[in-house]
Amino acid sequence: MKNLVIPVFFILILGFVSCLNEEKLILVDGGPQDYSIIVSATAQQNELKAAYGLRKYIEEMSGVELNIITDVGQLSAHEILIGNSNRIDSPKLLDEIDHLDKDGFVIKTIGDKLLIAGGDGKGTLYGVYSFLEEHLGCRRYSSEVSVIPTLENIVIGKIDDKQEPAFEFRELHMPGPRSDASFRDWHKLDFKEGENEWGMFVHTFDDFIPYDKYFKTHPEYFSYLNVQRIPDGQLCLSNPDVFNLVVEDLKVRMREKPKALYWSVSQNDTYKPCECSNCRKEYEEYGGYSGAMVHFVNNVAAEFPDKAISTLAYQYTRSAPTNIKPADNVNIMFCSIECNRSRPLSSDPLSASFRKDMEDWCELTDNIFMWDYVVQFRSLISPFPNFNVLQPNIKYFRDNGIQMMFQQGSGGLISEFVELRTYIIAKLLWNPDANAEAIMDDFLLGYYGPAGKYLRQYIDLMHEELAKSGGDLGIYGYPYDGINTYLTPELITKYEDLFDQAEKSVKDSQEYMERVKVARLPIEFAILDISLRDVNEDFSYFTSVDGKRVARKDMLERLERFTKLAKEAGITRYWEHGNYPDDYKETIERFVSSSLENHLALGKPVRLLTEYSEKYPVGGANALTDGLKGINDYHFNWLGFEGPHMVAIIDLEKETNIHSIECDFLQEIKSWVFLPEEVQFLSSANGGDFQFLGSVKNSISENREGTFIETFKLEFEPVKSRFIKVAAKNKGICPDWHPGATYPAWIFCDEVIII
């Protein structure tokens, strides 16, 4: 852990304010030790941890090591009472402590004594950390960066503080809280894995009844969809054998983890609920998929009355059921994955259905675990201006009676402003009414030093521009999604200028400079990613020399620097499921080199006989001859067709000898993107009468997973032609086995190359 010296002005203000109080306690005055830390002779582990933690920090601040003694010793005037002990002689105060939430605490000065005591959870420990932070100026900005002021005299004024958490469970799924228990305790956060409260956690159907073990012999255990049982969907909840298997499996697991309270019985992370006749009867009886789920989980919970059985209200089960309520020991994990992040959930028109669903669930039960999302998962280090909604969303959950909060961040991965976002959310989970603006300023100035004010301007400007534009913000977006809102080329130039000023302000501090450079990476990523679209001459990997497209050396050098710094900063993935720094660099370099290829169709006009989708605008029909190849992501330089075939006619503008035609298509079945079944190539001299040149049929399985590009290439004896027709046959709808069955399938093409 790296300790920083707290700014002198802060120490002076702290001391000055303390001295204004009529009642002062001089815990340390630079001389012989006076105060002792008192703990009960039967102190709990967390009370002892609190006592030794307080002594450690006071010694680091002042150089004075206080004694820790038990309450069986002689009473003295100057004592710091940690936890419940026989030194507390006020029945009223004892009663107040006894009735605290398990994580709540009181900090009080009583004459010449200081008392820090809490509930029977971690209350006393949290009280000590709050005392160190709120009264002595200590900070833990991250797992690695702390502020411990140097104080010759430790003087406090009168304190009468009582705090209890807004939520009984507070987990923040970010790198610091996830990996560092001391950081987690400082910020009063829970951890489902470390505290042994959860035996199983979400998406557990496949754990209970794995399809690779049961599907061949018992397909009836699994979802019935489109006239057949499928292995990769959900379980058939109306099947009594499924219920028995789940219950028996839980009994075994509970014997292995007898202390675990929460056990998840919840859907797999996909759609495809069972549509058999018995399941459909339950959907009708209980108001939909969630009703059948609650019915099943209630029955499981009845088998384990001393445990909490948790299930998901997620995607197809998000709406509340009717004619049924969750049992008292059933926990509902309610998820906000679909919601917009540019406006507060409580008022955003796009979140109206979410509000209704949540409030409907709250009418049925108060045992709700809120699963919220606070980073952009598709582009983890992309600029993501959602700081303005963090507090109103957390307050909205609190005001609706939610008691358990799980903030889904980037897990063990680094994301944009990961330390700042962690710091603010942790404070708000404890107290949703805290001053979020002051918390942000405190962090920015403490963590980035003089550069903090420029980073604050950057954050404010980005949020203001997004709000002004009326744009939306999704958790599975890309930098290019903000090209007309908060990431316009003009705004990016302003952001770069603010970072230039930030770097200049800390040029004499290597530590601050390194942190500012890491904070700048999202803007660098936005520039690199937006430039894949060839937006303008500044945001492009290409320039023109003598009428020919050539690669920009400065952009490739920028990519090189970015990759190097990202790796040095510990960034291992740009996306939660992949996109590694070196792979991303190689992808862009391959895109650049392949897009320099000269061919006869380059820049030639294109006429489409079928309609492309406006959902992924890449310049329309001309995207097929703009020279820009696609990467392994259908969002970049791919022209998409949702349902219809692709039929395009390229005009070479004069009769030309040709002998080869090729085009690339993409497959990513999880996104309903398939290769065409066949691509036909035809030739015409006048644009009306076409002669068949040949076709290429797809030889790749429609079941093949992953994201990959396949080239459909036809070579033939040279012919003279002006017009070339390319006809790619779409499946039309997704196959029966696919979760998108009955919905349109996609084909994506990036470039037609004619030689």
Side-chain angles (χ1 to χ4, degrees), residues 478-695:
Y478 296 79
Y480 188 80
D481 295 339
I483 192 68
N484 296 315
T485 55
Y486 65 98
L487 287 175
T488 67
E490 296 77 16
L491 283 172
I492 289 177
T493 299
K494 293 181 180 180
Y495 302 150
E496 287 191 284
D497 181 60
L498 287 169
F499 272 106
D500 287 343
Q501 295 179 65
E503 290 184 14
K504 184 178 179 181
S505 73
V506 294
K507 60 181 173 38
D508 296 325
S509 170
Q510 182 180 349
E511 288 182 346
Y512 286 144
M513 178 64 81
E514 288 176 355
R515 292 176 200 152
V516 172
K517 285 185 176 295
V518 172
R520 187 171 189 157
L521 283 173
I523 282 298
E524 290 293 310
F525 181 73
I527 292 169
L528 294 170
D529 232 41
I530 288 172
S531 295
L532 288 169
R533 309 282 192 140
D534 204 34
V535 172
N536 58 34
E537 60 182 25
D538 292 324
F539 289 80
S540 174
Y541 287 93
F542 310 101
T543 188
S544 180
V545 176
D546 297 329
K548 292 185 178 180
R549 177 184 288 162
V550 297
R552 284 178 53 186
K553 183 180 178 182
D554 62 321
M555 283 295 290
L556 294 176
E557 290 174 344
R558 187 171 204 152
L559 173 64
E560 182 77 35
R561 290 193 303 272
F562 170 79
T563 304
K564 181 175 182 294
L565 183 54
K567 290 162 67 176
E568 289 173 352
I571 295 172
T572 57
R573 298 203 293 267
Y574 302 150
W575 173 37
E576 62 173 335
H577 297 307
N579 215 2
Y580 307 96
D582 285 333
D583 290 347
Y584 182 75
K585 175 174 171 287
E586 291 173 9
T587 294
I588 291 184
E589 290 172 339
R590 188 165 55 248
F591 155 77
V592 172
S593 62
S594 65
S595 297
L596 298 176
E597 184 177 355
N598 196 13
H599 59 90
L600 296 174
L602 184 63
K604 302 303 182 183
V606 181
R607 180 164 59 98
L608 288 174
L609 304 186
T610 52
E611 292 187 7
Y612 70 92
S613 173
E614 292 283 2
K615 293 179 181 178
Y616 303 97
V618 288
N622 291 332
L624 298 179
T625 59
D626 63 4
L628 298 176
K629 299 298 289 292
I631 64 174
N632 280 23
D633 188 326
Y634 61 87
H635 296 83
F636 291 96
N637 300 320
W638 292 95
L639 190 65
F641 297 80
E642 187 180 14
H645 309 307
M646 181 191 88
V647 183
I649 297 176
I650 296 98
D651 181 2
L652 300 180
E653 298 182 321
K654 64 178 181 180
E655 283 197 313
T656 308
N657 284 321
I658 64 171
H659 63 86
S660 172
I661 309 172
E662 67 178 79
C663 45
D664 288 344
F665 289 87
L666 187 75
Q667 179 155 306
E668 186 181 316
I669 61 174
K670 69 181 181 62
S671 300
W672 305 9
V673 179
F674 295 85
L675 294 173
E677 295 181 338
E678 180 183 11
V679 181
Q680 297 182 347
F681 302 97
L682 301 93
S683 167
S684 172
N686 57 20
D689 301 315
F690 282 90
Q691 296 181 339
F692 183 72
L693 294 174
S695 66

Side-chain angles (χ1 to χ4, degrees), residues 28-227:
V28 173
D29 64 3
Q33 173 184 328
D34 189 12
Y35 271 82
S36 295
I37 297 174
I38 309 298
V39 296
S40 169
T42 58
Q44 298 178 5
Q45 181 180 356
N46 282 319
E47 291 176 324
L48 292 174
K49 188 175 180 180
Y52 282 94
L54 179 62
R55 181 172 75 172
K56 169 182 172 291
Y57 276 94
I58 286 179
E59 183 179 8
E60 287 193 47
M61 284 186 279
S62 67
V64 174
E65 183 181 68
L66 302 182
N67 285 331
I68 298 178
I69 58 178
T70 67
D71 58 0
V72 297
Q74 184 177 354
L75 186 68
S76 63
H78 296 159
E79 296 181 337
I80 302 175
L81 311 180
I82 300 299
N84 207 334
S85 73
N86 62 21
R87 295 290 202 265
I88 305 173
D89 55 9
S90 165
K92 182 179 179 181
L93 182 54
L94 284 169
D95 183 68
E96 182 179 10
I97 294 171
D98 286 342
H99 286 85
L100 283 170
D101 176 273
K102 66 183 178 67
D103 290 335
F105 57 83
V106 293
I107 306 174
K108 291 180 182 287
T109 51
I110 308 169
D112 287 334
K113 299 181 188 295
L114 169 66
L115 166 68
I116 305 175
D120 59 5
K122 291 188 175 182
T124 300
L125 182 63
Y126 293 162
V128 163
Y129 288 150
S130 288
F131 172 72
L132 290 167
E133 181 163 358
E134 297 170 19
H135 298 281
L136 299 187
C138 296
R139 295 288 187 274
R140 287 208 66 179
Y141 289 126
S142 72
S143 294
E144 292 78 29
V145 179
S146 293
V147 168
I148 302 177
T150 299
L151 300 172
E152 184 176 351
N153 300 319
I154 299 181
V155 183
I156 61 173
K158 183 177 181 180
I159 303 173
D160 187 2
D161 185 18
K162 174 183 175 181
Q163 295 187 34
E164 292 183 293
F167 305 99
E168 67 180 46
F169 180 87
R170 308 164 301 281
E171 181 166 355
L172 176 50
H173 197 53
M174 289 285 208
R178 187 172 178 268
S179 62
D180 187 337
S182 66
F183 179 79
R184 190 163 61 238
D185 285 344
W186 182 279
H187 289 286
K188 310 177 185 68
L189 296 169
D190 294 302
F191 189 48
K192 62 185 179 300
E193 297 171 16
E195 304 303 330
N196 204 27
E197 290 187 353
W198 287 84
M200 299 178 74
F201 192 75
V202 304
H203 304 311
T204 57
F205 276 2
D206 191 53
D207 294 318
F208 293 124
I209 306 179
Y211 71 85
D212 55 356
K213 178 179 178 180
Y214 287 99
F215 186 74
K216 286 185 179 179
T217 54
H218 292 283
E220 70 275 13
Y221 294 170
F222 300 89
S223 286
Y224 180 85
L225 188 66
N226 297 318
V227 306

